[in-house]
Amino acid sequence: MTIDSGIQPWLFQVEPYEGESLSHFLGRFRRPNHLTPSGLGQLAGIGAVVARWERFHWNPPPSRQELEALAKVVRVSVEQLIAMLPPPGVGMQCSPIRLCSACYGETPCHRMEWQYKHIWKCNRHSLKLLAKCPVCSALFKAPAQWQDGMCRRCLTPFGQMQQQ
Ligand SMILES: [Zn+2]
Ligand SMILES: [Zn+2]
């Protein structure tokens, strides 16, 4: 079976936020297009890697070829996709998922830099990054699933979580 991985004019386009992580962007693209991670992987012709990428499991890291195929389907440039990944040489932590509530209040997106190994504070707000909900201690889901922008357990909005 061959699936055309060229232009898909019927798909909704989603504009990336500056600094957005790939996981968060892929979730925002999939939802209005009613695509599962494997459905998106199939459309792009890149197989089952999308679910792993959404959990930041990047071993091996996305190849240029895979990113080019994905870029055609989500209709952003390969450079925009690469900007959603950590820069070369920057270590990453795929868990726990971290959050600056003040950033999220300004722009509702998970920023890639929050998962960098050496980053513990938001360098815009000088706030310690949250690694769990400060109200109920629930861990944050993979950013691809941040549909509602709130804690999955106590429903506190991400943008209103207290930070010290
Ligand atoms: Zn911040
Ligand atoms: Zn909570």
Side-chain angles (χ1 to χ4, degrees):
M1 185 172 65
T2 312
I3 290 164
D4 175 18
S5 59
I7 303 291
Q8 316 283 344
W10 62 89
L11 291 173
F12 286 103
Q13 254 180 299
V14 172
E15 200 57 44
Y17 293 115
E18 186 268 320
E20 184 171 21
S21 69
L22 182 64
S23 173
H24 194 264
F25 174 77
L26 291 178
R28 286 202 303 123
F29 177 81
R30 286 197 293 98
R31 280 187 294 275
N33 287 305
H34 306 286
L35 287 167
T36 60
S38 55
L40 175 56
Q42 234 177 0
L43 265 186
I46 56 177
V49 294
V50 173
R52 287 202 289 114
W53 293 357
E54 290 188 358
R55 293 194 304 272
F56 299 119
H57 291 175
W58 292 338
N59 193 17
S63 70
R64 176 91 195 179
Q65 258 179 336
E66 288 171 323
L67 292 174
E68 276 169 6
L70 182 64
K72 276 186 205 155
V73 175
V74 300
R75 280 192 283 166
V76 301
S77 68
V78 182
E79 285 64 36
Q80 281 176 297
L81 287 181
I82 289 172
M84 299 176 198
L85 302 168
V90 170
M92 228 204 65
Q93 254 188 320
C94 56
S95 72
I97 297 299
R98 299 192 286 208
L99 163 73
C100 170
S101 171
C103 281
Y104 195 90
E106 291 165 12
T107 306
C109 96
H110 174 264
R111 297 180 64 82
M112 190 63 258
E113 65 199 22
W114 296 339
Q115 302 304 129
Y116 296 175
K117 227 171 220 163
H118 62 281
I119 292 209
W120 295 98
K121 273 167 87 172
C122 167
N123 49 24
R124 310 155 127 203
H125 299 103
S126 290
L127 293 168
K128 191 170 177 285
L129 294 178
L130 298 170
K132 60 186 177 181
C133 172
V135 178
C136 76
S137 296
L139 296 174
F140 302 123
K141 288 195 216 175
Q145 297 169 51
W146 284 13
Q147 180 165 18
D148 305 317
M150 59 174 75
C151 172
R152 63 194 158 96
R153 193 192 286 161
C154 72
L155 311 185
T156 303
F158 288 157
Q160 292 169 30
M161 292 179 168
Q162 295 297 322
Q163 277 170 299
Q164 288 100 41

